[in-house]
Amino acid sequence: MKIGMIGGGSVAQTLGAALLKAGHDVVIGIRKVTDDELAKPRNFTNTLKDWIAQTGGRVATMAEAAAHGEVVFNVTGGLVSVEALKLAGAQNLAGKVLVDVANPLDFSQGMPPFLPAELSVHTSLGEEIQKAFPAVRVVKAFNTVGAAVMVNPAAIREAHDLFIAGNDAAAKDVVRGIATRDFGWTSIRDLGDIGGARAMEHLLPLWLRQWTLGGNPTINVHIAEG
Amino acid sequence: MKIGMIGGGSVAQTLGAALLKAGHDVVIGIRKVTDDELAKPRNFTNTLKDWIAQTGGRVATMAEAAAHGEVVFNVTGGLVSVEALKLAGAQNLAGKVLVDVANPLDFSQGMPPFLPAELSVHTSLGEEIQKAFPAVRVVKAFNTVGAAVMVNPAAIREAHDLFIAGNDAAAKDVVRGIATRDFGWTSIRDLGDIGGARAMEHLLPLWLRQWTLGGNPTINVHIAEG
């Protein structure tokens, strides 16, 4: 499948590498493709130059990556996602499955980051993206775990869940397929329409608290039912 | 142990009944103790008159219940908790363990309820109660499950976790003791100081979403680790 990634950071690189390994044709999209950008050090991950050398993937502009993808991943910082997706171009995304992996975390006041009121109290980033791009089939997914767990859920031996939410059932099936076949997820919890993104993004304070206290990013939640 | 409950609704009655059964001396505290109040129909639970008849527990004013308790439970609605605890009286609560079970959910705009910005973005109800009553040993606990699960965690057969957070280690030990001995909890996750209340209260959108979609209130989360 042709896959575009909007964003070039650690989540984009980790997801992109795993999708390439699974046989997909992946293009990472960044704002400007220059030698400087490709060689620029990035937090918690490689330069894009090294990513290209190691994976055989390609890097292009956000618009090119969006146009390339049958499925597009939003792996930008949540506070700039809508702006980045506008650069990617509504016309390049129309009708496509957009997997929204981002979290609207504001780190500007130090740790812990917070969910800004305008993206959390009465809404969520997933819902705001769906509103801003009504022709796009937004599926919120993967935002509740670290990148390494997204592509390797078996790193956690106990039962644990991948949450998905979106208005389009067929789009959710596409994401379910990628999650199970390409990454090995076995337990997927459908939280209904894109309103479920609110529950998923609100999980971040717990994830961050556990990580800060325990030092282990290889964590996730499981819904236990009686 | 002498236990006071601030609030007389379904959570107060369920916790109170279980604590009486475990041998504690429980007083439920409400704003005004009148025949009308005791006979008033309450959401999802009995009248207090029936609760008294069925459990042998007592009902008094909030101030009397607070003065009675060595351990006091805040089981009021989260939006009125600080005001209710002021009626209970800072002097009646000073030095005591206050188990904060409340969630700051605003139902005024219909379903789903939301966490108001002033009690969620940069803080939490647990933190605000600790700030308003600095001499009280606040422990956030039990807020992430329904009342029936609080007192009977075995209703969920899979592993699932009780979260606690608070600044006072000995106060958390008291709550841990009640949870394990009196209710049968086996997995307790300490989220550190009262700042952990933020992660716990942010879990409510997920709980509510699951409940709304699945119709099953007998649910909880488990942290799975790799």
Side-chain angles (χ1 to χ4, degrees), chain B residues 50 69 110 139 169 196 198 209:
Chain B
D50 286 343
V139 179
R198 212 172 299 182
R209 185 84 179 174

Side-chain angles (χ1 to χ4, degrees), chain A residues 67-116:
Chain A
H68 167 79
E70 299 161 83
V71 172
V72 179
F73 283 74
N74 172 35
V75 280
T76 59
L79 300 189
V80 298
S81 287
V82 171
E83 180 214 338
L85 292 169
K86 283 181 182 160
L87 287 178
Q91 73 288 357
N92 294 323
L93 296 167
K96 295 181 178 175
V97 176
L98 179 71
V99 190
D100 175 29
V101 184
N103 282 303
L105 293 173
D106 189 332
F107 289 85
S108 67
Q109 295 177 40
M111 289 295 284
F114 60 93
L115 296 165

Side-chain angles (χ1 to χ4, degrees), chain B residues 152-177:
Chain B
N152 182 26
I156 298 175
R157 281 176 308 273
E158 287 180 284
H160 64 109
D161 304 333
L162 181 70
F163 298 101
I164 59 173
N167 299 340
D168 186 308
K172 285 194 278 194
D173 285 342
V174 171
V175 177
R176 210 180 264 115

Side-chain angles (χ1 to χ4, degrees), chain B residues 1-128:
Chain B
M1 203 153 48
K2 291 180 173 180
I3 294 179
M5 319 289 296
I6 309 301
S10 66
V11 178
Q13 290 188 25
T14 303
L15 281 170
L19 291 164
L20 281 158
K21 213 171 164 185
H24 298 293
D25 176 8
V26 178
V27 174
I28 276 183
I30 58 176
R31 283 163 199 260
K32 267 192 221 167
V33 185
T34 63
D35 288 346
D36 277 2
E37 277 300 313
L38 295 179
K40 189 177 80 175
R42 288 169 186 269
N43 286 332
F44 311 114
T45 192
N46 293 329
T47 65
L48 284 169
K49 204 175 152 190
D50 286 343
W51 182 82
I52 292 167
Q54 284 162 22
T55 65
R58 282 174 290 153
V59 175
T61 65
M62 288 180 169
E64 287 164 343
H68 166 79
E70 299 161 81
V71 172
V72 179
F73 282 73
N74 172 35
V75 279
T76 59
L79 300 188
V80 299
S81 288
V82 171
E83 180 215 338
L85 292 169
K86 282 180 184 162
L87 287 177
Q91 74 288 359
N92 294 325
L93 296 168
K96 295 181 177 175
V97 177
L98 179 71
V99 190
D100 175 29
V101 183
N103 282 303
L105 292 173
D106 189 331
F107 289 85
S108 67
Q109 295 178 40
M111 290 294 283
F114 61 93
L115 297 165
E118 65 276 16
L119 288 171
S120 68
V121 173
H122 295 287
T123 185
S124 61
L125 177 61
E127 289 165 273
E128 292 304 307

Side-chain angles (χ1 to χ4, degrees), chain A residues 9-18 44-45 101 142-156 160 162 182-185 207 211 216-220, chain B residues 226:
Chain A
S10 66
V11 178
Q13 291 189 25
T14 303
L15 281 170
F44 311 115
T45 192
V101 184
F142 299 112
N143 71 302
T144 60
V145 290
V149 173
M150 292 178 197
V151 302
N152 182 26
I156 299 176
H160 64 109
L162 181 69
D182 297 336
F183 301 152
W185 283 90
W207 192 93
W211 178 47
N216 181 8
T218 310
I219 51 175
N220 190 14

Side-chain angles (χ1 to χ4, degrees), chain A residues 167-185:
Chain A
N167 299 340
D168 186 306
K172 284 194 278 194
D173 285 342
V174 171
V175 176
R176 210 180 264 116
I178 290 172
T180 53
R181 271 192 308 274
D182 297 336
F183 301 152
W185 283 90

